[in-house]
């Protein structure tokens, strides 16, 4: 089953800051049918929804600040239902939580409460990893605490680049989290000591294997992201190359 492709709009954040509506149109012109937000640039959710509808785009998720505070939950529910996405994504509620196993255990409690509250509104909460979650604390890691000690189990927006950056195997983690990975961040790594970001299909990650395994673990979308290192400094050039390459990979998987 060929999964749909989306774009994490954080990739084109510099363009959005200068021309929000125009950049969204250019993303649609490239061929993307789905997007993931990372900030709304002072636009109202209703106005964003109208723009997406006009361009034939669907929002699949959004990166937001998540806590178990009722006001935070209410704001996230309103934005999600208005714009039309059903997955709410974040990292740790507090960056200091990454410093210890107990910090991660506190995060599990906060995010678990938030996930339960969002679930009552028909929304899924998914944790987005970087590589620091693979730091060890005795015989465990932050990733293990997040996904083995959460009850009910947290869902994941697994970022395959950051899994690799953390010296772990993306497909192993995809399989480990089968049924809990509604979204995958498809991001590639160049073949240098610096392990820089690069366009999908131009780096060292086995994207064909990742894409082939994705439906079996329950993924719904393949979301392109490239934090930096764009062609000629232009994120839109990079996201076009990634879209074209990933479209071919999906067709061949």
């Amino acid at each position: 089953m060929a999964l749909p492709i989306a774009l994490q709009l954080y990739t084109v954040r510099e363009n959005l800051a200068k021309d929000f509506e125009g950049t969204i149109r250019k993303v649609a012109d490239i061929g993307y049918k789905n997007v993931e937000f990372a900030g709304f640039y002072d636009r109202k959710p209703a106005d964003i929804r109208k723009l997406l509808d006009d361009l034939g785009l669907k929002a699949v998720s959004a990166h937001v600040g998540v806590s178990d505070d009722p006001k935070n939950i209410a704001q996230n529910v309103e934005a999600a239902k208005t714009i039309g996405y059903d997955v709410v994504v974040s990292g740790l509620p507090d960056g200091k939580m990454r410093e210890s196993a107990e910090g991660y255990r506190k995060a599990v409690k906060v995010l678990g409460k938030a996930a339960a509250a969002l679930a009552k509104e028909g929304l899924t909460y998914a944790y987005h990893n970087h590589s620091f979650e693979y730091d060890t604390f005795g015989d465990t890691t932050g990733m293990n605490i997040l996904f083995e000690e959460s009850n009910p189990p947290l869902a994941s927006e697994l970022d395959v680049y950051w899994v690799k950056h953390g010296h772990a195997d993306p497909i192993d983690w995809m399989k480990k989290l089968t049924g809990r990975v509604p979204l995958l961040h498809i991001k590639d790594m160049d073949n240098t000591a610096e392990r820089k970001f690069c366009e999908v299909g131009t780096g060292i990650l086995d994207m064909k294997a990742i894409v082939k395994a994705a439906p079996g673990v329950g993924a719904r979308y393949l979301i392109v992201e490239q934090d930096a290192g764009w062609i000629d400094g232009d994120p839109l050039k990079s996201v076009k190359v990634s879209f074209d390459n990933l479209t071919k990979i999906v067709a061949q998987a």
Side-chain angles (χ1 to χ4, degrees), residues 205-216:
L205 271 72
D206 189 346
M207 288 298 177
K208 186 172 182 180
I210 289 169
V211 169
K212 187 175 182 179

Side-chain angles (χ1 to χ4, degrees), residues 118-165:
L118 291 167
K120 290 180 180 178
E121 298 291 341
L123 303 175
T124 297
Y125 169 77
Y127 183 88
H128 178 278
N129 65 286
H130 290 82
S131 59
F132 60 77
E133 289 91 347
Y134 290 95
D135 292 346
T136 57
F137 303 98
D139 60 356
T140 192
T141 66
M143 283 292 281
N144 288 336
I145 294 170
L146 287 165
F147 294 106
E148 291 179 1
E149 298 187 19
S150 55
N151 186 22
L154 291 178
S156 167
E157 178 178 64
L158 198 69
D159 187 303
V160 297
Y161 169 96
W162 287 118
V163 176
K164 181 76 171 178
H165 194 273

Side-chain angles (χ1 to χ4, degrees), residues 5-7 9 21 23-35 37 48-60 83-84:
I5 297 169
L7 176 66
L9 293 172
E21 289 78 11
T23 299
I24 299 291
R25 288 189 180 91
K26 290 176 181 177
V27 167
D29 288 344
I30 288 170
Y32 288 94
K33 300 297 184 184
N34 307 284
V35 294
F37 282 91
I48 291 174
R49 178 61 180 267
K50 184 178 185 307
L51 175 64
L52 297 180
D53 288 347
D54 289 347
L55 296 173
L57 289 171
K58 172 181 172 58
V60 301
I83 297 173

